[in-house]
Amino acid sequence: MRNLFTLALVLISTLAFAQKQQYQLNNWRPYDKTGLSMFEAPKDTATTFENVKVRIGGAFALQYQALDHENNADPVLNTNGVNTNQLANLGNNFNLATANLDIDVALYDGVNLHLRTYLSSRHHPEPYVKGGYIQIDKLDFISKGFMAETMKNLTIKIGHMENNYGDAHFRRSDNALAIYNPFVGNYIMDAFTTEVGAEVYYQRSTG
């Protein structure tokens, strides 16, 4: 049994290493620390595409919350003798654990697909699809070299996805994917939303 367990660990480690070495999608923002402070996905006409490849990954976060509050307001008693200025008692405990499931697919040379499912999220212990999109960096699926000069600088994203609303969009924690943001819970006013739409990026500085 011990030998079997050791073999399983070796196989898992080998698989993880192989995925890191072979399943890096082109023009993609990494989910690890190398994606920190990165905004739009990098644009490069170089490609490593050989055939359809699927990369399955995820994220998990468990947060401990310990908050306290107080005020100096004068007591105001209602008809039941309850102080309406008394703040509610706050307890310390673990929040609901959050988890993401990511499926990234290299569909064609210059065409990638991303799908993110929240396995558990705030107020939602049940899984649901957060959103997904197709990212197009080449139009070779139409015809080899089609609009190649234009696509050297263009990236097209189409899907039901989180809208790009500026810097906070790239720096916020996305449920369990918290490595992009050191502040628990993001900003007080968090503009997160998902909508059906398309985005077109033009990047002059490539590579």
Side-chain angles (χ1 to χ4, degrees):
M1 181 64 71
R2 183 177 179 181
N3 291 337
L4 182 61
F5 179 72
T6 302
L7 177 61
L9 287 179
V10 171
L11 290 176
I12 292 173
S13 300
T14 303
L15 177 61
F17 178 78
Q19 285 185 333
K20 185 172 181 60
Q21 293 296 314
Q22 300 178 12
Y23 288 82
Q24 295 300 312
L25 276 67
N26 300 126
N27 303 319
W28 209 255
R29 183 189 185 188
Y31 298 137
D32 59 12
K33 64 181 181 179
T34 58
L36 290 174
S37 298
M38 182 182 291
F39 286 78
E40 289 83 3
K43 177 70 177 183
D44 194 340
T45 55
T47 181
T48 59
F49 181 85
E50 297 175 353
N51 47 48
V52 175
K53 292 182 179 179
V54 179
R55 184 179 63 187
I56 298 177
F60 173 81
L62 180 60
Q63 302 168 345
Y64 182 80
Q65 181 172 295
L67 301 177
D68 196 6
H69 59 179
E70 61 182 16
N71 67 16
N72 296 320
D74 294 331
V76 176
L77 302 180
N78 61 17
T79 56
N80 295 321
V82 177
N83 179 10
T84 57
N85 281 336
Q86 178 66 44
L87 298 176
N89 293 326
L90 296 179
N92 303 331
N93 209 333
F94 289 96
N95 292 329
L96 174 69
T98 56
N100 295 356
L101 172 64
D102 292 310
I103 300 177
D104 300 305
V105 185
L107 293 174
Y108 198 81
D109 186 8
V111 181
N112 296 326
L113 177 143
H114 166 74
L115 176 68
R116 174 161 293 164
T117 299
Y118 286 171
L119 300 180
S120 178
S121 58
R122 187 177 181 183
H123 306 310
H124 289 278
E126 74 284 353
Y128 70 96
V129 175
K130 176 253 183 154
Y133 57 84
I134 291 179
Q135 178 177 312
I136 302 173
D137 288 284
K138 291 183 179 181
L139 297 176
D140 286 6
F141 62 92
I142 298 176
S143 177
K144 185 67 175 179
F146 183 71
M147 294 182 64
E149 286 300 314
T150 301
M151 294 306 295
K152 283 182 179 180
N153 302 100
L154 282 184
T155 297
I156 304 170
K157 291 172 63 177
I158 304 172
H160 189 156
M161 56 193 174
E162 181 180 334
N163 305 120
N164 180 353
Y165 49 85
D167 289 4
H169 165 76
F170 297 98
R171 298 186 186 278
R172 71 185 299 275
S173 297
D174 189 8
N175 198 39
L177 182 62
I179 195 171
Y180 293 159
N181 180 19
F183 300 104
V184 176
N186 296 314
Y187 298 133
I188 293 177
M189 297 295 292
D190 187 15
F192 167 77
T193 184
T194 58
E195 301 290 345
V196 174
E199 297 175 352
V200 178
Y201 294 85
Y202 181 84
Q203 301 183 60
R204 296 184 61 183
S205 178
T206 60

